[in-house]
Amino acid sequence: MQAFAVLVVVTLTVVAAGLAVRTVGSMIKVVRLGQPAVGRTDRPATRTATMLRETFGHTRMLQWTLVGAAHWFVFVGFGFLFLTLVTAYGQVIEPSFALPLIGHWAPFEWLTEIIAWLMLVSIVVLIAIRQRHHPDRVGRRSRFSGSTMWQAYYVEWTIVGVGLCIVALRSLEYALQHVDGADPSWVHFPLTWFVGTAFDGLAVATLETAIVAVALFKIVISMAWLITIALNPTMGVAWHRFSVFFNVWFKRNATGEVSLGALEPMRSRGRPIDFEDPADDDVFGVGVVENFTWKGLLDFSTCTECGRCQSQCPAWNTGKPLSPKLLIMSLRDHAAAKAPYLLAGGGLDAEGNERATPEQLADVPASAIAEAARPLVGTLEEGGVIDPEVLWSCTTCGACVEQCPVDIEHVDHILDLRRFQVLIESSFPSEANSLLKNLESKQNPWGVQPSARTAWVGEVDFPVRVFGADGEDTIPDDVEYLFWVGCAGALDDRAKKTTKAFAELLHIAGVQFMVLGEGEACSGDPARRLGNEFVYAMLAQQNVETLNEVGARTIVATCPHCFNTLSNEYPQLGGSYDVIHHTQLLARLVEQGRLLPVTPVDELVTYHDPCYLGRHNKIYTPPREVLAGVPQLRTQEMHRCKERGFCCGAGGARMWMEERIGKRINHERVDEALALEPDVISTSCPFCLVMLSDSVDQRKAAGEVAESVGVVDVSQLLLRSVRTPAPTP
Ligand code: SF4
Ligand code: SF4
């Protein structure tokens, strides 16, 4: 029996280890096919601390408390209980084997048993959760919809098997010590002695045979798992256990913030691109999978298919074909399938000719050659890896990035794909054409004359200082804030109400502010999120030059997209300013007593978090503080709020594209708000304001909503309270 067991163990272990080493080697080779990723190794000590905090602390997983806690015990079990596998190897040879030094040390035994039981309970919880959310039961809304279920089941039941083996072995060890006449103190078997008593009366030889058999079974289960994952390098549900440490370590921000806010500058082979004079071999965005950075390819390999991203995605939740999980899985599978071709030297040169010789490709499997021929973005008929409808459905809301437990940077990858489609293929939704033309010719999305930017100034009954009106060539020292009005704030009638309300509040508070007027151009956010880095660079460069020339220091913006671009992205172009959002300034002015909300606003308000203020910049509190300061105003949160807020549908330049598939995202959001029966839906973004208003107006036209329900900016509510009511005649 033992000789047979040893033979099986040695054979299996050698095969499993050999296959695993080979697969890890080829996975590393695939990741190394990617382009250089800039800025991923700075501050190594901080990165290590972040990685340890996120992995051992499960800080991202614990956003979902029960699942996070259960996964933590499985994670700890996987690491700590490896020692029981080592013990099992010894037990196959000598059933009474224990690890030297610690094998019979009570604290080690306690920990082993506690962790084994907790791991078992936890995996049962996770199995139950997966079944509760099974796509067959929940349908498309299941976060597991589209995940490779057999792989998850296999991993889950392997853990159950390993856990049961540990309990069985510990119980048999108890029984063996009992038969030997030694004191089988429960101190060494705190959570298995009662199972061990079931073996009372069995002979030593029987118990030893049972130990060898269970130890053998444990090793067989473990090695079968290793062989299975080695044969399936895209099995993220298993491989993430190893790759997550690297994926977190190399994330964008060393300190651990999620990869949102600023977009990565467009680079070619790790170098900045000079749009005025691009190099012949410059690559614009990602047109083939090997044009992703190696961090992108590592991201794809690390996806666990947990579907958290999918469950939060506004596109997926409204019936669009985009699921961030399925997108990442498609890119991962494509990269793995194409890898043999690339590793043999295959690929196209700048002229579109094959680089490799026929001899080099002679041994490449036909499936890899066929995979290489697929367009990265293309329809089903074209054999595309990513359907254009998938690519253009993204609002860049960042919910996927925020939720991903292994720090995958979906938005960066989606934008890289868009960049290639727009800049090289000129392939994007036709409606966006006019947006780009307007941005290029008139520096605003609506294509109105720049002179219209100051029209609102003539519509208010207090003075507004416009830069240059008094002949100044730099911002005067007494100006506290440069008010960046933004295109929507200056040109859209609904957003203009926010602009006027905020300006009036500044006037009431005695804040000295100035606007740039015609000197302001679009921040470039819509062009950049559409993928047109060229137009973005043109607008952004122009704005940075203007801001630097006028000596801008402290800027306040009502638009979170402008706020994000000016504060996070202009530094990439040499424009560093102190930028705040108007809700931050308003909260500060109320706190300082410079604004006194005294008039009661007896209304129920629900606040919608703009993605580019909330998730992208973590500003959740100031707007709520402003609302809380208004007397008698009652607030109620929507189910999806703050980090889990639901997009209005405007981001990612979606505001200028048709929404033809599924339910409109703004309707989905407004339905959620209206379920609370509010008097007012409030927000702090002009894009959100337009999207939510559109939806509410349509509901009103259909008679589904009372005419009195309003959609207003936080500043408008504050102004109503700050204004002293007119005395009654
Ligand atoms: S950014 Fe938002 S819309 Fe885009 S894939 Fe992620 S969750 Fe979906
Ligand atoms: S991308 Fe992240 S959140 Fe989405 S399925 Fe993969 S691991 Fe889960």
Side-chain angles (χ1 to χ4, degrees), residues 266-267 273 283-287 291 415-417 419-420 423:
M266 202 169 92
R267 298 188 179 96
I273 295 179
V283 177
F284 292 78
V286 167
N291 282 349
L415 261 297
D416 274 336
L417 290 168
R419 285 166 171 170
F420 184 84
L423 296 173

Side-chain angles (χ1 to χ4, degrees), residues 140 313-323 326 389-390 392-395 649 654 658-666 668:
R140 179 187 161 92
C313 175
W316 183 259
N317 275 292
T318 53
K320 319 277 188 290
L322 165 64
S323 149
L326 299 180
E389 290 288 1
V390 168
W392 296 108
S393 292
C394 180
T395 67
R654 289 287 328 166
E658 295 296 332
E659 202 175 326
R660 297 187 190 88
I661 304 176
K663 184 179 179 180
R664 288 185 64 89
I665 294 175
N666 58 345
E668 172 79 5

Side-chain angles (χ1 to χ4, degrees), residues 260 309-310 312-316 322-325 327 390-391 393-401 410-411 414 418 611 615-616 647 654 665:
L260 292 171
C309 55
Q310 179 172 289
Q312 305 294 309
C313 175
W316 183 259
L322 165 64
S323 149
K325 175 185 75 179
L327 178 126
V390 168
L391 183 62
S393 292
C394 180
T395 67
T396 68
C397 71
C400 46
V401 182
H410 315 67
V411 174
I414 289 171
R418 284 188 176 185
C611 301
R615 264 192 302 270
H616 281 270
C647 181
R654 289 287 328 166
I665 294 175

Side-chain angles (χ1 to χ4, degrees), residues 428-577:
F428 52 89
S430 54
E431 317 89 79
N433 252 321
S434 53
L435 165 71
L436 291 174
K437 279 191 191 134
N438 291 336
L439 288 175
E440 282 186 86
S441 59
K442 299 287 191 306
Q443 290 85 50
N444 67 74
W446 289 277
V448 296
Q449 291 300 332
S451 56
R453 282 185 177 274
T454 47
W456 68 273
V457 173
E459 296 163 15
V460 295
D461 54 10
F462 52 89
V464 175
R465 295 165 73 179
V466 180
F467 181 82
D470 292 331
E472 59 273 86
D473 50 14
T474 57
I475 295 175
D477 286 342
D478 68 321
V479 172
E480 295 172 77
Y481 294 96
L482 176 68
F483 175 17
W484 184 270
V485 181
C487 300
L491 305 170
D492 179 272
D493 284 340
R494 282 167 292 194
K496 268 161 74 172
K497 290 180 185 162
T498 304
T499 304
K500 293 181 203 173
F502 177 59
E504 187 171 346
L505 286 166
L506 293 182
H507 172 72
I508 292 170
V511 174
Q512 289 299 320
F513 69 99
M514 179 170 262
V515 298
L516 279 180
E518 291 184 41
E520 214 183 273
C522 173
S523 67
D525 163 86
R528 193 167 214 204
R529 266 67 195 176
L530 186 72
N532 197 324
E533 195 73 5
F534 178 76
V535 172
Y536 162 73
M538 183 189 82
L539 293 165
Q541 203 69 59
Q542 177 182 331
N543 282 327
V544 168
E545 278 168 23
T546 304
L547 290 168
N548 288 348
E549 265 171 36
V550 303
R553 295 172 301 275
T554 310
I555 301 173
V556 60
T558 50
C559 173
H561 297 264
C562 296
F563 167 75
N564 180 62
T565 307
L566 267 66
S567 59
N568 297 326
E569 298 186 338
Y570 282 6
Q572 296 168 354
L573 298 169
S576 293
Y577 319 103

Side-chain angles (χ1 to χ4, degrees), residues 269-338:
R269 296 182 175 81
R271 302 183 310 248
I273 295 179
D274 179 0
F275 285 109
E276 306 285 312
D277 183 21
D280 289 344
D281 63 346
D282 269 349
V283 177
F284 292 78
V286 167
V288 285
V289 75
E290 61 271 25
N291 282 349
F292 282 110
T293 65
W294 59 260
K295 176 60 172 65
L297 298 177
L298 181 60
D299 269 1
F300 307 155
S301 311
T302 308
C303 176
T304 72
E305 304 185 19
C306 69
R308 288 171 176 226
C309 55
Q310 179 172 289
S311 72
Q312 305 294 309
C313 175
W316 183 259
N317 275 292
T318 53
K320 319 277 188 290
L322 165 64
S323 149
K325 175 185 75 179
L326 299 180
L327 178 126
I328 295 294
M329 286 168 63
S330 300
L331 293 170
R332 175 197 67 195
D333 294 347
H334 173 63
K338 189 178 176 183

